[in-house]
Amino acid sequence: MAEPEGGAGFELPLLLFAGFRSIIDELHRELAAHGHPDVRPAYGFALQAVGRDGASASEVGRRLGVSKQAAGKTVEKLEALGYVERVEDPRDGRRKLVRLTPRGTDVLVRSAREFDRVRAEWVAALGAERVTALEADLRAMAPASAFRLDAAGWFTG
């Protein structure tokens, strides 16, 4: 069987993953340097699942595609690190709402800025046209359903 033009098929997912990993590793080095040394990649997904308005632990679990118990453990860890807090739900006093603390909001804001900075580095190295084309190509090839918060669980599930 002839090798596909441009390289072997197995290289594409490895290169995509290596690009993803390099961005995430750079993000976490920067977060650590700015007061967030304990943040792990999966925590970013969990903080996004909590969202601006907060969520119950069950909702966090559904958004992440994990059990309520697994979500509860993640919430406990984030709470111990000061990124979330549990408060009475103003709409239902029988349940607790997981809410971002100012520290949790800070890590998300810093992450967004860092992603923008890394993208700007890619633009500087590759050119805006190539980066824009790469993003458009990836959007065309990746189904909309691929943009989900349960990606962290997908790696270990």
Side-chain angles (χ1 to χ4, degrees):
M1 178 186 275
E3 188 172 297
E5 186 177 327
F10 70 87
E11 288 180 296
L12 178 61
L14 293 176
L15 289 168
L16 290 169
F17 181 71
F20 170 79
R21 177 75 190 257
S22 69
I23 291 169
I24 298 302
D25 286 349
E26 192 168 338
L27 166 72
H28 284 271
R29 280 190 298 277
E30 190 65 22
L31 290 174
H34 288 92
H36 300 286
D38 296 323
V39 173
R40 301 291 173 257
Y43 297 169
F45 291 102
L47 292 171
Q48 291 290 336
V50 170
R52 276 188 197 153
D53 298 326
S56 69
S58 294
E59 289 169 330
V60 171
R62 277 193 300 279
R63 292 172 185 173
L64 293 174
V66 299
S67 69
K68 180 180 176 180
Q69 291 78 13
K73 284 184 178 184
T74 300
V75 167
E76 285 174 16
K77 183 68 174 171
L78 290 172
E79 189 174 25
L81 293 170
Y83 292 106
V84 300
E85 62 185 353
R86 293 180 210 230
V87 297
E88 295 292 324
D89 186 334
R91 297 170 302 226
D92 183 351
R94 297 170 296 169
R95 73 179 202 156
K96 293 284 189 180
L97 191 65
V98 179
R99 185 171 68 187
L100 296 174
T101 63
R103 182 168 169 77
T105 300
D106 181 65
V107 80
L108 289 178
V109 168
R110 286 183 186 277
S111 295
R113 277 193 224 130
E114 184 63 13
F115 285 134
D116 288 343
R117 188 191 65 73
V118 170
R119 185 184 185 282
E121 283 183 2
W122 282 46
V123 166
L126 302 173
E129 191 174 297
R130 286 183 68 193
V131 172
T132 300
L134 173 63
E135 291 167 337
D137 291 344
L138 290 170
R139 279 187 201 97
M141 296 308 295
S145 63
F147 295 100
R148 297 175 12 193
L149 292 176
D150 68 351
W154 179 83
F155 281 111
T156 59

